[in-house]
Amino acid sequence: AAVDETYADIIEGGKKKLSVDEFKAHLDAGKLVLDVRRTPDQFVSGFIPGTVFAGLTGSIAVWAATVLGNVEQPYALVADDDSLHEGLSRLARVGFNHCVGHLDGGVDAWKAAGYTLDTIVSEPASEVLKGLEAGEVQIIDVRGPGEYRNSHIDGATHAPLCSRDPLDFKSIVQPDKRAFAHCAGGYRSVMFLSLCKRAGVTAGNITGGDAKMMEGPA
């Protein structure tokens, strides 16, 4: 942002309404779009292809800065009426000051224009663990190193979302198995999965977080 641009100016700039065509042009150019609707469940059940989950139920600013790196890049938002201002504010606090606007009408406008939504498959931990035992499933643990050292599922692939190096999703996800990601509560795994999708790699979500994973197969 310009030196003399105030915090209020940054927020107001992000409130610009983008038509579906304007929004799609930004997305098709490979530029960043963050979905700041509140919960992981909202995202996995239907999201605009190519968008990255950054829901308000988690530490959106911390994870956006950690995972996405370049805070100077222009970005657009997908938001609900009640999440737009909060999303802009929290992102601006860590330097994401270049929001070009938000999709006017959100996900509903995208669907009304005839475009489809993508989804992420979710399966309960008990079923995923059965698949792991049968050699059919890859489990990707996206928690931090300390959490992983404390306890983890035998055979899991560790790919911490907080890695200082950019994650290479195509090398992480094994193409010959059904891959599923998990974290402690479901926020980081859905952000990881949205980035996978953006990179052209498909993996599923494990419902229940750590507690259900540690219970083992049913």
Side-chain angles (χ1 to χ4, degrees):
V3 173
D4 60 350
E5 189 173 16
T6 68
Y7 178 79
D9 291 334
I10 292 165
I11 300 303
E12 286 308 306
K15 289 185 177 179
K16 177 186 176 183
K17 295 180 179 180
L18 302 176
S19 69
V20 171
D21 287 344
E22 290 172 323
F23 176 87
K24 189 173 184 297
H26 177 92
L27 191 62
D28 288 349
K31 296 178 181 177
L32 179 65
V33 178
L34 299 176
D35 187 328
V36 296
R37 291 177 298 161
R38 292 191 177 272
T39 69
D41 288 345
Q42 281 178 291
F43 188 86
V44 299
S45 63
F47 62 94
I48 295 171
T51 60
V52 176
F53 172 69
L56 297 183
T57 53
S59 300
I60 167 180
V62 172
W63 286 111
T66 301
V67 177
L68 303 173
N70 178 19
V71 297
E72 297 296 325
Q73 62 185 305
Y75 70 97
L77 291 181
V78 176
D80 296 321
D81 290 341
D82 69 341
S83 62
L84 177 60
H85 182 85
E86 184 180 348
L88 284 167
S89 299
R90 289 167 66 178
L91 287 164
R93 289 189 195 115
V94 292
F96 279 91
N97 297 335
H98 301 288
C99 184
V100 300
H102 67 281
L103 175 58
D104 189 18
V107 168
D108 289 339
W110 182 262
K111 291 191 292 184
Y115 296 112
T116 58
L117 297 180
D118 203 349
T119 59
I120 291 173
V121 172
S122 293
E123 289 193 17
S126 58
E127 293 302 310
V128 174
L129 289 168
K130 286 178 183 176
L132 179 68
E133 289 184 346
E136 301 167 352
V137 159
Q138 176 194 17
I139 291 177
I140 303 168
D141 186 334
V142 305
R143 298 173 305 155
E147 294 169 286
Y148 184 81
R149 283 194 300 269
N150 186 51
S151 66
H152 61 266
I153 302 299
D154 287 343
T157 300
H158 189 214
L161 192 62
C162 62
S163 172
R164 292 182 181 181
D165 299 318
L167 293 171
D168 183 352
F169 300 99
K170 290 182 179 178
S171 68
I172 293 168
V173 177
Q174 298 174 11
D176 58 337
K177 294 182 179 180
R178 292 189 303 129
F180 291 87
H182 90 95
C183 61
Y187 187 91
R188 288 172 289 178
S189 59
V190 173
M191 179 177 272
F192 175 89
L193 291 166
S194 69
L195 290 163
C196 276
K197 283 272 192 177
R198 191 170 183 245
V201 179
T202 298
N205 187 44
I206 302 173
T207 57
D210 267 1
K212 291 296 182 183
M213 290 296 293
M214 299 310 167
E215 288 177 6

